[in-house]
Amino acid sequence: MYNLGMYLYLLGVAIASLFSEKVRKMWRGEREAVSLLRQQVDPQARYVWFHAASLGEFEQGRPLMEQLRRDHPEYKILLTFFSPSGYEVRKNYEGADIICYLPIDTVTNARRFLRTIRPVMAFFIKYEFWYNYLHILHHRGVPVYSVSSIFRPGQIFFRWYGRQYAHVLKCFTHFYVQNEESRRLLSGIGITDVSVVGDTRFDRVLQIKAAAKQLPLVESFVDGKKAFVAGSSWQPDEDIFIPWFNEHPAWKLIIAPHVIGEDHLQQIEAKLQGRKVMRYSRAASDTMLNADPSALSQYDVLIIDCFGLLSSIYHYADVTYVGGGFGVGIHNTLEAAVWDVPVIFGPNNERFQEAQGLKLCGGGMEIGCADDFRRIMQGFEDHPEVMAQLGEKSGVFVKQMTGATGKILADVQL
């Protein structure tokens, strides 16, 4: 049934590629992957294979790849992606020797792929459980590790109808999971080669913090005043926090929306009643502002209309907001928390282990409506010392949760 499902999926992707550029890139990349490998593989090298579904999983695997590269230069690294949102962004990543899409998990594709690369070990990041690849690797005696994985009772492996598919988990040499619940669930179906090491994303955000950019334009904009940074915001998020800042001009507001499109940017600007608004791209290209950056301090709101700056911009915040919690789920709270600031987010955060940890330690605050947001912000206005204390708790939480990368690589037989 699984293999039939894969062929039906292939058919669906082929049809969808006729109408979607994103799907077309994935379809083309998957078909060309083995040819690309045959051109680039060094037959004398020993390859360690890392597979990430998308960009988020890549960030979890990145600390492992980079430490492995530093400590064991005798290996080469193959990095594969399933999604264009990962591959297209990181196809030129210098930490891997070969980067390509992973062909769809049919028996033929898996055999051709593994025959070409012949990995000496493989790391599957978080949620990747490809039946044919894993069974062939297991049959060939190749060690396979699941890293930063997390399991929940509702997953197919723990339902009566999914017990047959759960056998795929026995193909893994070891699981390095995020929490005790994951270990308990795996133990319940006979999987005992499990270690609770935490999430490598905590290691990654410390790396990001250490490499943060100095942003003179942002520094000039803030000009020593209290600053609120909203990262990866969507319309429902903006409808909650913007009205409060329209009434509190003493705060500097920085908005980095998740969708950077002209329509969305204009919608944000229309909601900022009577506030002086500047877009980052305009400030960066304005010769007068570059000649006298202090003039940017006269503005109330800075909209970040470009990518790649958010993790550094959090450095200038007194309070942060991470969007997505009124939609499909919150975005990366750790990139904000690592800067020792309180983090506010919406209610859809149950599936996010780091958000639960932030709430538990007091550094993260969930809101369900505009009144919740007003109450929190008014509390910070009245008691700035509390704002600083909660921010410190965020930073301590992140630092206490680091170390998964070292634990994994110390345990793996390299």
Side-chain angles (χ1 to χ4, degrees), residues 162-234:
R163 289 302 172 91
Q164 187 65 32
Y165 180 63
H167 288 304
V168 72
L169 300 180
K170 296 184 184 294
C171 294
F172 283 93
T173 306
H174 203 88
F175 287 86
Y176 296 98
V177 299
Q178 293 188 32
N179 58 21
E180 285 290 345
E181 183 186 29
S182 297
R183 174 154 59 185
R184 179 182 59 79
L185 287 168
L186 290 171
S187 177
I189 58 171
I191 307 293
T192 57
D193 290 319
V194 183
S195 300
V196 180
V197 299
D199 189 346
T200 52
R201 278 183 302 175
F202 289 92
D203 301 324
R204 177 61 188 147
V205 293
L206 282 185
Q207 292 177 345
I208 292 171
K209 180 181 181 181
K213 305 168 185 175
Q214 293 296 313
L215 301 171
L217 287 175
V218 177
E219 189 170 344
S220 297
F221 166 75
V222 172
D223 192 33
K225 295 184 179 178
K226 290 181 293 185
F228 181 95
V229 175
S232 303
S233 63
W234 295 78

Side-chain angles (χ1 to χ4, degrees), residues 79-115:
L79 170 63
T80 60
F81 288 98
F82 179 74
S83 166
S85 62
Y87 175 79
E88 294 300 328
V89 175
R90 294 302 182 190
K91 59 186 176 184
N92 296 316
Y93 170 59
E94 295 181 353
D97 297 282
I98 303 176
I99 303 171
C100 65
Y101 282 97
L102 181 68
I104 293 294
D105 186 30
T106 65
V107 173
T108 300
N109 280 347
R111 284 175 177 165
R112 289 172 60 216
F113 181 90
L114 294 171
R115 190 183 302 125

Side-chain angles (χ1 to χ4, degrees), residues 27 43 53 89 125 152 181 206 217 222 224 250 254 260 307 347 352 359 390 406:
W27 174 240
V89 175
I125 303 163
R152 300 179 180 86
E181 183 186 29
L206 282 185
L217 287 175
V222 172
I254 302 174
I260 301 176
F307 294 107
F352 300 86
K359 286 197 295 184
L390 296 183

Side-chain angles (χ1 to χ4, degrees), residues 81-386:
F81 288 98
F82 179 74
S83 166
S85 62
Y87 175 79
E88 294 300 328
V89 175
R90 294 302 182 190
K91 59 186 176 184
N92 296 316
Y93 170 59
E94 295 181 353
D97 297 282
I98 303 176
I99 303 171
C100 65
Y101 282 97
L102 181 68
I104 293 294
D105 186 30
T106 65
V107 173
T108 300
N109 280 347
R111 284 175 177 165
R112 289 172 60 216
F113 181 90
L114 294 171
R115 190 183 302 125
T116 303
I117 193 67
R118 298 186 182 278
V120 296
M121 70 185 73
F123 291 84
F124 280 47
I125 303 163
K126 197 173 183 179
Y127 287 138
E128 295 298 275
F129 308 106
W130 295 110
Y131 188 90
N132 291 312
Y133 283 104
L134 287 167
H135 274 85
I136 295 172
L137 287 166
H138 181 66
H139 177 73
R140 294 182 178 183
V142 178
V144 185
Y145 305 101
S146 175
V147 298
S148 289
S149 45
I150 187 166
F151 293 89
R152 300 179 180 86
Q155 287 174 294
I156 188 172
F157 311 114
F158 313 111
R159 300 296 184 93
W160 64 268
Y161 53 81
R163 289 302 172 91
Q164 187 65 32
Y165 180 63
H167 288 304
V168 72
L169 300 180
K170 296 184 184 294
C171 294
F172 283 93
T173 306
H174 203 88
F175 287 86
Y176 296 98
V177 299
Q178 293 188 32
N179 58 21
E180 285 290 345
E181 183 186 29
S182 297
R183 174 154 59 185
R184 179 182 59 79
L185 287 168
L186 290 171
S187 177
I189 58 171
I191 307 293
T192 57
D193 290 319
V194 183
S195 300
V196 180
V197 299
D199 189 346
T200 52
R201 278 183 302 175
F202 289 92
D203 301 324
R204 177 61 188 147
V205 293
L206 282 185
Q207 292 177 345
I208 292 171
K209 180 181 181 181
K213 305 168 185 175
Q214 293 296 313
L215 301 171
L217 287 175
V218 177
E219 189 170 344
S220 297
F221 166 75
V222 172
D223 192 33
K225 295 184 179 178
K226 290 181 293 185
F228 181 95
V229 175
S232 303
S233 63
W234 295 78
Q235 180 191 330
D237 305 303
E238 293 146 9
D239 288 342
I240 283 178
F241 65 75
I242 286 178
W244 192 87
F245 290 99
N246 284 338
E247 300 168 5
H248 293 79
W251 283 77
K252 294 284 188 168
L253 173 59
I254 302 174
I255 306 174
H258 183 74
V259 176
I260 301 176
E262 186 59 31
D263 288 346
H264 189 200
L265 295 175
Q266 290 184 13
Q267 289 172 7
I268 293 172
E269 290 168 342
K271 294 170 185 175
L272 293 160
Q273 303 164 3
R275 308 303 300 276
K276 292 187 67 176
V277 181
M278 175 60 71
R279 295 188 188 183
Y280 187 89
S281 62
R282 290 177 184 168
S285 61
D286 189 308
T287 54
M288 292 181 64
L289 284 176
N290 278 278
D292 180 19
S294 64
L296 197 55
S297 66
Q298 304 305 309
Y299 288 85
D300 306 308
V301 183
L302 184 63
I303 299 176
I304 310 302
D305 57 344
C306 52
F307 294 107
L309 299 180
L310 180 56
S311 59
S312 298
I313 287 172
Y314 283 131
H315 172 49
Y316 300 94
D318 293 283
V319 181
T320 61
Y321 181 97
V322 175
F326 290 92
V328 295
I330 57 172
H331 295 285
N332 192 336
T333 54
L334 296 181
E335 285 188 353
V338 74
W339 291 105
D340 303 319
V341 290
V343 186
I344 303 172
F345 41 80
N348 190 356
N349 60 70
E350 298 87 353
R351 294 180 293 109
F352 300 86
Q353 180 88 358
E354 67 279 9
Q356 302 309 307
L358 283 169
K359 286 197 295 184
L360 190 63
C361 78
M365 286 137 284
E366 176 186 319
I367 62 168
C369 61
D371 286 342
D372 292 343
F373 181 78
R374 288 176 174 273
R375 175 179 49 79
I376 290 170
M377 291 303 297
Q378 193 57 55
F380 291 159
E381 282 263 275
D382 296 340
H383 302 284
E385 74 282 0
V386 173

